[in-house]
Amino acid sequence: MLPDRLDLRIAETISHTIEEERASVDTAPPAWRHRCEVAKVAAFSDPERRIFLSHVAERRGEAAAHELEQSASELRTTAIFFLARKPS
């Protein structure tokens, strides 16, 4: 599969996951805003993620950027495994 197409499918899977969660969780706490930011970053392509995380590092520090990168990577991995199990 082409990388652009894979990125699109990953982004769609992440978006769908967040929409399902939104229906069943309290969206007021800061943890939800963090989850949405992680999902946003996870849905970016590799170049977009690098640029965004660079800005986060400048504004909020390296630790915040690293934590966001790790969380986004975990969410992407979850989406990839979901897509691998999903029938075409």
Side-chain angles (χ1 to χ4, degrees):
M1 179 177 297
L2 297 172
D4 289 343
R5 179 72 180 131
L6 180 58
D7 277 337
L8 178 61
R9 291 189 65 206
I10 290 169
E12 289 170 350
T13 299
I14 291 169
S15 177
H16 181 73
T17 300
I18 291 298
E19 288 305 314
E20 284 181 345
E21 289 176 8
R22 180 175 280 124
S24 63
V25 300
D26 181 5
T27 59
W32 175 252
R33 286 192 303 277
H34 177 72
R35 176 79 171 149
C36 289
E37 182 179 40
V38 167
K40 175 182 173 182
V41 173
F44 288 156
S45 67
D46 288 341
E48 292 170 326
R49 261 194 322 284
R50 283 192 295 275
I51 292 167
F52 185 86
L53 292 169
S54 173
H55 291 294
V56 170
E58 289 174 10
R59 292 185 182 108
R60 294 189 254 167
E62 289 291 330
H66 180 72
E67 191 277 326
L68 187 55
E69 180 180 26
Q70 289 298 112
S71 296
S73 177
E74 291 170 9
L75 187 55
R76 282 183 69 83
T77 299
T78 301
I80 290 167
F81 280 119
F82 174 81
L83 288 170
R85 289 188 314 267
K86 185 178 176 182
S88 295

